[in-house]
Amino acid sequence: MSSARLRQMGAASRQRAERMSWEAVAQQYLPMFEQLASKTARQRAVSAANVLQYSHARSARRRHDDDACDYAGGGPRPTAAAGVSAGL
């Protein structure tokens, strides 16, 4: 092999090795990690919004149930109170 061909192959090998350096590989993975982090953040935001919406709906149902209880005489059901006092 000629020395020119060896230099050409050496330069090509160096270029290929530089594409595989830790920094180069990290730069290739960075967009993927950023995309995953963004997707996870969006999912958490949606999840938090769903929890908040559920919490508000549940609070509204409780207020409604409390209001209905007030109109119906309020207090615990007699059978429930009797069971507690009887030690059941």
Side-chain angles (χ1 to χ4, degrees), residues 13-73:
S13 294
R14 177 172 290 284
Q15 287 176 346
R16 184 171 185 180
E18 287 172 356
R19 287 194 311 263
M20 293 183 212
S21 72
W22 285 108
E23 186 176 339
V25 171
Q27 291 298 324
Q28 292 172 7
Y29 276 102
L30 191 58
M32 180 183 65
F33 289 138
E34 288 172 342
Q35 183 181 9
L36 288 172
S38 175
K39 182 178 179 182
T40 301
R42 283 193 308 272
Q43 288 173 340
R44 285 185 180 167
V46 167
S47 179
N50 289 343
V51 168
L52 187 59
Q53 182 180 6
Y54 173 78
S55 176
H56 286 306
R58 186 170 179 172
S59 294
R61 280 195 307 274
R62 283 185 178 165
R63 283 192 301 275
H64 176 3
D65 291 347
D66 288 346
D67 290 344
C69 189
D70 290 342
Y71 292 127

